[in-house]
Amino acid sequence: MLPIARNILRTENVEKYYGGRGSLTKALDGISFEVNAGEFVGIMGASGSGKTTLLNCISTIDTVTAGQILIGDRDITSMSRNSLAKFRRNELGFIFQDFNLLDTLTAYENIALALTIMKRPPREINVRVREVAEVLGITEVLMKYPYQMSGGQRQRVASARAIVTNPSLVLADEPTGALDSRSARALLESLRTLVRERNATILMVTHDAFSASYCDRILFIRDGRLFNQLARGPETRKQFFDLIIDVISLLGGDIHDIC
Amino acid sequence: MTSAKLAIRNVKKSLRDFTIYFLTLTFGVCVFYIFNSLESQEAMMDISNNQAAIFQQLMRVIGGVSVFVSVILGFLILYANRFLIRRRKKEFGIYMTLGMEKGAISRILMVETVFVGLLSLATGLATGILLSQAMSVLTAKLMDVPISRFHFVFSPDAFGKTIIYFAIIFLFVLIFNTIIVSREKLIDLIYASKKNEWYKTPPLAVSVLTFAAAACCLAFGYWKGLSSDISELLGGALLPLIAALCIVGTFLFFFSLSGFFMNLVQRNKRVYLKDLNMFVLRQIGSKINTAYVSITIVCLVLFISICTLSTGMGMSTSISKELKESTPFDASVVASVKTDDDGDAVGEYPGFDFAAAFDEDRGAGGIDAFAKDYLAVRFYDSGTTIPLNVVEGNQVNLIDANVQFMKLSDYNDILKLRGIDPIELDSGEYAVNFAVSNRGFKAAMEEYMKNADVIKLRKTELQTNPDNLYRYTLNVVENQDYNVCVIVDDPLVKGLPAARDILSVNYPGEASTYDTALGEAVSALKPGKDIKLSALTATEVGERSNSATVIVSYLAIYLGVIFLITAAAVLAIGQLSEISDNASRYGLLRKIGTDEKMIHKSILKQNLIYFGVPMLLGVVHATVGITVINRLISAFDKGDIAQTSLFVAVVLLIVYGGYFIATYQSSKGILDRESALMRAE
């Protein structure tokens, strides 16, 4: 029996304007979509299409001009600054393009940091860090510092940090952007594992059709609007990849930026 | 936009970055003015020619030292300035990519420097002028003169001098900035923030061994300093050895501290995995491990600063205490036998009756003309001396202390006039009084009393015991009076030859009036041909009291404060560079949901440890150091310890505490601005 699909993220008519009268830029222009629990969703679009703004708004780092963003069943657009910090550490996990690991801390400590700022008891921290490291295959680098690891390992440590708190939603901003193709493949496999084994929900921004082909569903954004959606049905990853390429050419814009 | 506008806008925008720079300049200007304006405080006090001479001497020395101080301050300001430049390399990079010429950037920097310089010069001078009013109270206390007319003092000389000296320092800063900007490459400026330092916790064994070595060095150095003979300490290579041991020990201590501490805390998961402790510890660990040299220097400078401050203050309190001790009355007149140029007596001393003499000589108005209370006391010749081994510094002097007898009733009269309870003597006992504040002499006397000679007077054998040793000054004395008085029952002195007579007087009013009256009255007396009369007033003693010590203690306080500012400023700048270099790390902490409170707490912890650790070791060093100094300068009596410590604590609190708060606020400012930037991106 299939698990009952539950909304983790719902955006309703989200708008984000920059500038004032006279020179108004609509970075987001009424975007509405939903992400279900256990879904791996990709967001694609050209530079300036608004995908990073969208991610920033969802990640509570930026605020919206109008519309609602509901994560779980809470509207994050009406939360105070301090409760936002609390919300971020309890409900969200982040993976960045340039890893953003603290180079003074070991892998273990980097992952544990996400739990210590939630004030979890030490015993639990130890168990959870080792558990998630096991899933992502980084147990042997736990005691190493970031500079002693490969890029792929670093990004998997970052993923571990994002997932170790069991967040409702993991936000990944170009996670393969700084990786070579082999590491990128390994990381994407790891993300799929997280979705499959831990029922994680991931929202990933990417330029790259190959990365996108690992998703369950892809949202295409152009000029701040939702342009198209593509769900991976029974197709193989290869077939899904070809479908993505088709939509991209349809999207037009700056192909160079997209691929 | 003109570069001037841009510069002023820059300063306004990053006011918190400028705090430490501003604070250092202001403190520097303030202290510089205060000490160079000492001379003008004269105006406030009743001061004699002698004291005016001391002031002039003091000003000459302070003038010389001020050159040295301005060099230190100059370097400090350059250092603070370098931090500002470093922090803004990226900004300059942007100006340059936009096509601004290096000359224009230099001009912006110049306007900024002049702007901040003028502002801090004004603030520093204003605070300096205010504080120098308070300083005059201290001066009056040091010189032991009353403040007669309190009015506002302002020294145009010091004012001008301060401006000139700091103008020269600013000139150097300007030249330095221009050189820095002209040597920068655009690529380095743009990527200025990308540099990283790698850090690894050393293995526990290494840390433990270094820590043990540090502890050994320090313990051995402390032990040697506290327990060695003073002669050993001063002669030969022991003192340099101790200094070297302590420096090496301090160095090793900070070298090992981070690793040792890290290892300890890492084992305690409850502490380590709490809040941001892990992060804070790693930050400090990497900092102490890369910057332990500068932390060692800061700690040693703090040590020197605390030692000079408390020695200076201790000396000044001990001088005024000594002064009070040597002037129990307003004046004393001593009648003794005339001596020739070699100091040999030229006749027999027949004794001199002050009361009768003044009575006969009504012409000068009698004794009541200048005395409210008076007392004439006779001292009798004993013909013996006490040989004493007095330890002074690193040598032992054999002193033959003159012994004179005096009547118990006379002695008690003197005590009564001084407001002290009289002493009692059992029959067959004698008491001993001496008035030397030298610690070595005191120790020798105490030693002597344990096994004192039996005295035979008029067929009576007299003994004494250590309880019968007293230390009161019996008249106004100029220098150390090595006379020892043996106090015996009144009848026993009968038939002994007189040695001298002393008249002690308290005036009915102001010393300035009655000093002259006394002088005139005494010179009007006609003593016998073998008798010499010499008057000594408390005023004269006060004026001549140890001008060298006044100068030394002033200098010690001056330099102590400057050293303290140096140490605190170096710490503050180091800490701010650290925070600013790590702004991206704090940004990451924010992104993953750390709230502001936790981040601020982690900065506070970091600042506390960073400021606290060198201070703690510095205070421990200083406690030992001051004890050793006190042993070395044995001639000084210990001043009021509570007062001295209070003074030092207040100075530390203001300067060091001020820098601590400023650093914490600036750190918060840097991070808040960084987070605002993050949101804007």
Side-chain angles (χ1 to χ4, degrees):
Chain A
M1 193 178 138
L2 286 167
I4 301 160
R6 190 170 65 87
N7 276 347
I8 284 292
L9 169 69
R10 202 167 85 233
T11 70
E12 276 171 19
N13 262 323
V14 169
E15 296 181 353
K16 174 75 183 177
Y17 299 162
Y18 288 111
R21 264 171 282 143
S23 64
L24 199 69
T25 315
K26 295 181 177 180
L28 298 176
D29 193 9
I31 288 194
S32 304
F33 66 92
E34 291 169 2
V35 176
N36 292 329
E39 217 182 352
F40 187 179
V41 175
I43 298 179
M44 294 192 79
S47 278
S49 62
K51 58 187 190 317
T52 302
T53 309
L54 178 63
L55 197 74
N56 278 346
C57 287
I58 295 173
S59 64
T60 75
I61 290 171
D62 207 345
T63 52
V64 299
T65 311
Q68 281 187 321
I69 299 175
L70 288 108
I71 297 180
D73 40 12
R74 302 177 62 188
D75 184 1
I76 60 164
T77 56
S78 59
M79 285 163 91
S80 74
R81 200 172 151 193
N82 255 341
S83 47
L84 277 180
K86 189 173 173 226
F87 180 80
R88 274 207 294 277
R89 64 172 177 265
N90 289 335
E91 306 293 337
L92 299 180
F94 293 93
I95 306 173
F96 307 92
Q97 177 173 1
D98 48 0
F99 322 136
N100 261 338
L101 294 175
L102 291 168
D103 45 20
T104 48
L105 303 187
T106 61
Y108 179 95
E109 291 164 347
N110 265 295
I111 302 169
L113 192 66
L115 292 169
T116 65
I117 61 170
M118 293 171 74
K119 299 180 185 286
R120 310 305 309 179
R123 189 183 295 275
E124 183 194 324
I125 291 176
N126 192 34
V127 172
R128 281 169 74 169
V129 170
R130 291 191 184 284
E131 190 190 15
V132 74
E134 183 81 24
V135 175
L136 288 167
I138 45 170
T139 309
E140 69 279 7
V141 297
L142 274 184
M143 288 308 146
K144 288 189 176 170
Y145 288 90
Y147 67 94
Q148 296 168 313
M149 299 178 224
S150 70
Q153 285 171 329
R154 274 184 238 176
Q155 196 57 300
R156 272 182 282 159
V157 171
S159 310
R161 181 183 62 196
I163 203 75
V164 73
T165 55
N166 286 331
S168 316
L169 183 62
V170 176
L171 300 168
D173 188 4
E174 306 273 7
T176 56
L179 299 181
D180 60 80
S181 60
R182 232 186 80 220
S183 304
R185 197 184 299 258
L187 177 78
L188 290 162
E189 292 292 348
S190 300
L191 292 182
R192 279 238 64 96
T193 314
L194 289 177
V195 172
R196 196 172 54 241
E197 291 187 9
R198 296 176 62 110
N199 202 34
T201 313
I202 302 177
L203 186 64
M204 175 173 79
V205 165
T206 183
H207 274 132
D208 173 28
F210 175 76
S211 298
S213 67
Y214 280 81
C215 298
D216 298 319
R217 184 156 59 100
I218 298 173
L219 309 170
F220 293 90
I221 292 182
R222 190 168 77 173
D223 298 336
R225 293 164 185 269
L226 199 58
F227 171 78
N228 200 351
Q229 279 203 47
L230 201 58
R232 176 177 168 186
E235 295 96 345
T236 62
R237 205 177 53 71
K238 179 74 186 71
Q239 289 167 327
F240 191 45
F241 177 77
D242 293 337
L243 281 174
I244 295 170
I245 294 291
D246 288 345
V247 178
I248 287 175
S249 49
L250 207 70
L251 256 170
D254 194 349
I255 297 291
H256 183 76
D257 258 349
I258 295 168
C259 297
Chain B
M1 186 163 22
T2 65
S3 50
K5 261 190 198 160
L6 190 60
I8 288 168
R9 194 182 273 193
N10 278 341
V11 173
K12 265 193 209 154
K13 206 172 56 194
S14 47
L15 212 54
R16 289 222 241 187
D17 276 356
F18 279 93
T19 312
I20 296 297
Y21 185 63
F22 182 72
L23 197 66
T24 306
L25 270 172
T26 308
F27 269 138
V29 170
C30 174
V31 174
F32 197 88
Y33 172 83
I34 290 179
F35 278 89
N36 281 289
S37 72
L38 280 179
E39 203 173 12
S40 63
Q41 293 169 6
E42 247 183 279
M44 234 192 254
M45 296 157 213
D46 275 324
I47 219 165
S48 66
N49 291 339
N50 264 321
Q51 282 167 320
I54 296 178
F55 257 116
Q56 266 159 20
Q57 218 175 332
L58 182 62
M59 291 321 292
R60 265 200 299 279
V61 180
I62 282 187
V65 172
S66 285
V67 175
F68 169 66
V69 165
S70 65
V71 170
I72 295 184
L73 286 175
F75 274 112
L76 208 55
I77 290 164
L78 279 181
Y79 184 59
N81 174 69
R82 211 188 59 169
F83 160 72
L84 279 182
I85 302 257
R86 209 169 71 112
R87 212 175 125 50
R88 299 171 49 195
K89 277 190 172 174
K90 213 168 180 179
E91 182 188 326
F92 297 148
I94 293 170
Y95 292 156
M96 275 161 79
T97 28
L98 289 176
M100 197 184 264
E101 283 151 15
K102 280 179 176 175
I105 296 182
S106 291
R107 248 194 327 276
I108 293 181
L109 269 179
M110 189 170 84
V111 177
E112 280 180 27
T113 311
V114 170
F115 184 64
V116 176
L118 283 179
L119 203 65
S120 54
L121 198 60
T123 325
L125 280 172
T127 356
I129 291 169
L130 274 181
L131 279 180
S132 67
Q133 316 303 321
M135 189 71 175
S136 54
V137 178
L138 184 70
T139 313
K141 197 170 152 358
L142 271 172
M143 309 278 278
D144 204 52
V145 285
I147 292 180
S148 50
R149 341 165 248 286
F150 195 89
H151 58 74
F152 199 78
V153 274
F154 171 72
S155 160
D157 286 353
F159 192 78
K161 195 174 164 191
T162 311
I163 291 177
I164 291 172
Y165 272 63
F166 279 84
I168 293 173
I169 293 177
F170 290 140
L171 198 67
F172 273 104
V173 173
L174 285 181
I175 295 170
F176 184 79
N177 281 347
T178 318
I179 293 174
I180 282 196
V181 171
S182 67
R183 273 174 41 188
E184 285 302 347
K185 293 198 193 81
L186 183 55
I187 184 85
D188 294 335
L189 289 176
I190 292 179
Y191 292 101
S193 59
K194 294 279 184 210
K195 254 168 101 187
N196 264 327
E197 252 174 42
W198 304 121
Y199 166 70
K200 222 178 133 198
T201 320
L204 183 60
V206 173
S207 301
V208 169
L209 279 180
T210 353
F211 196 81
C216 284
C217 281
L218 291 180
F220 189 71
Y222 284 176
W223 176 67
K224 270 289 174 196
L226 291 174
S227 68
S228 305
D229 282 343
I230 290 171
S231 52
E232 248 186 291
L233 271 179
L234 281 172
L238 189 60
L239 209 53
L241 176 75
I242 291 173
L245 273 176
C246 285
I247 292 171
V248 172
T250 311
F251 183 79
L252 289 177
F253 177 79
F254 289 118
F255 181 77
S256 65
L257 188 67
S258 65
F260 188 60
F261 193 58
M262 285 285 280
N263 271 305
L264 273 186
V265 179
Q266 266 173 339
R267 267 146 220 263
N268 186 351
K269 293 288 177 213
R270 202 172 287 265
V271 178
Y272 195 59
L273 293 178
K274 188 170 177 273
D275 298 356
L276 288 177
N277 282 357
M278 191 163 70
F279 175 73
V280 172
L281 273 169
R282 289 291 195 184
Q283 288 296 101
I284 293 167
S286 68
K287 188 67 198 168
I288 287 190
N289 239 31
T290 49
Y292 52 88
V293 179
S294 67
I295 291 189
T296 305
I297 293 170
V298 164
C299 174
L300 293 174
V301 173
L302 279 176
F303 157 69
I304 295 172
S305 164
I306 297 173
C307 278
T308 43
L309 271 178
S310 45
T311 308
M313 194 60 198
M315 268 163 96
S316 75
T317 49
S318 94
I319 300 168
S320 39
K321 201 173 140 197
E322 203 169 296
L323 195 61
K324 205 165 269 167
E325 191 56 39
S326 57
T327 54
F329 308 109
D330 284 339
S332 290
V333 187
V334 178
S336 57
V337 69
K338 268 194 180 143
T339 50
D340 60 19
D341 292 344
D342 296 331
D344 293 324
V346 291
E348 285 286 306
Y349 177 65
F352 185 77
D353 189 341
F354 275 105
F358 275 111
D359 224 22
E360 283 164 17
D361 190 36
R362 278 278 169 207
I367 209 161
D368 296 328
F370 54 84
K372 185 179 69 171
D373 305 308
Y374 67 92
L375 184 67
V377 173
R378 174 159 296 175
F379 293 81
Y380 300 89
D381 202 359
S382 72
T384 61
T385 55
I386 302 177
L388 292 171
N389 290 322
V390 178
V391 182
E392 259 189 274
N394 57 341
Q395 40 185 306
V396 180
N397 295 331
L398 184 72
I399 291 179
D400 281 324
N402 257 319
V403 177
Q404 295 180 337
F405 290 117
M406 72 185 295
K407 289 185 200 164
L408 177 63
S409 64
D410 281 349
Y411 185 71
N412 278 337
D413 283 345
I414 293 178
L415 293 190
K416 197 175 147 202
L417 195 58
R418 289 193 55 182
I420 299 166
D421 288 339
I423 66 163
E424 281 174 23
L425 269 187
D426 294 341
S427 62
E429 271 197 341
Y430 68 93
V432 176
N433 184 79
F434 72 102
V436 182
S437 63
N438 179 314
R439 270 193 263 164
F441 192 88
K442 189 180 158 204
M445 276 310 293
E446 277 162 1
E447 192 57 37
Y448 172 78
M449 287 302 281
K450 284 183 196 155
N451 208 352
D453 293 337
V454 173
I455 292 176
K456 210 169 171 189
L457 264 183
R458 296 179 70 84
K459 297 187 181 132
T460 317
E461 288 207 340
L462 296 173
Q463 288 177 327
T464 191
N465 64 61
D467 288 342
N468 283 337
L469 182 66
Y470 299 95
R471 211 182 123 198
Y472 293 115
T473 320
L474 304 179
N475 52 313
V476 177
V477 282
E478 167 92 66
N479 292 315
Q480 306 277 22
D481 181 355
Y482 286 96
N483 283 316
V484 172
C485 287
V486 166
I487 300 139
V488 294
D489 269 336
D490 290 11
L492 296 178
V493 299
K494 209 170 179 189
L496 286 175
R500 46 186 186 149
D501 286 273
I502 298 180
L503 172 74
S504 291
V505 175
N506 281 333
Y507 299 143
E510 280 290 315
S512 44
T513 331
Y514 291 95
D515 275 348
T516 337
L518 173 92
E520 281 165 6
V522 169
S523 52
L525 290 178
K526 295 173 197 71
K529 71 173 173 59
D530 290 336
I531 298 173
K532 177 184 73 177
L533 290 179
S534 52
L536 186 65
T537 63
T539 322
E540 287 172 289
V541 175
E543 284 170 7
R544 269 174 259 168
S545 85
N546 248 328
S547 62
T549 333
V550 171
I551 292 174
V552 168
S553 63
Y554 249 120
L555 278 185
I557 296 173
Y558 185 22
L559 288 178
V561 173
I562 292 290
F563 283 144
L564 188 61
I565 292 176
T566 310
V570 167
L571 266 184
I573 294 162
Q575 185 64 4
L576 283 183
S577 338
E578 162 82 359
I579 295 280
S580 134
D581 289 351
N582 286 306
S584 62
R585 292 181 187 157
Y586 288 97
L588 173 69
L589 290 180
R590 269 205 193 89
K591 273 189 195 161
I592 64 172
T594 317
D595 50 40
E596 297 300 304
K597 232 196 259 163
M598 211 183 254
I599 288 179
H600 288 172
K601 220 169 94 187
S602 83
I603 303 173
L604 184 66
K605 271 184 200 168
Q606 202 174 321
N607 280 350
L608 263 179
I609 294 179
Y610 197 41
F611 271 76
V613 169
M615 181 50 112
L616 276 181
L617 191 63
V619 168
V620 174
H621 276 357
T623 316
V624 177
I626 291 164
T627 318
V628 174
I629 291 172
N630 275 339
R631 292 182 64 211
L632 292 182
I633 317 176
S634 59
F636 288 111
D637 229 4
K638 272 187 208 119
D640 188 338
I641 291 177
Q643 200 183 342
T644 305
S645 333
L646 186 72
F647 169 78
V648 175
V650 167
V651 172
L652 283 184
L653 205 68
I654 292 174
V655 177
Y656 207 68
Y659 268 100
F660 172 74
I661 292 170
T663 309
Y664 177 53
Q665 293 299 341
S666 302
S667 312
K668 277 203 295 193
I670 290 175
L671 291 189
D672 288 349
R673 207 139 43 79
E674 219 69 41
S675 90
L677 276 179
M678 179 186 102
R679 221 167 297 131
E681 260 167 21

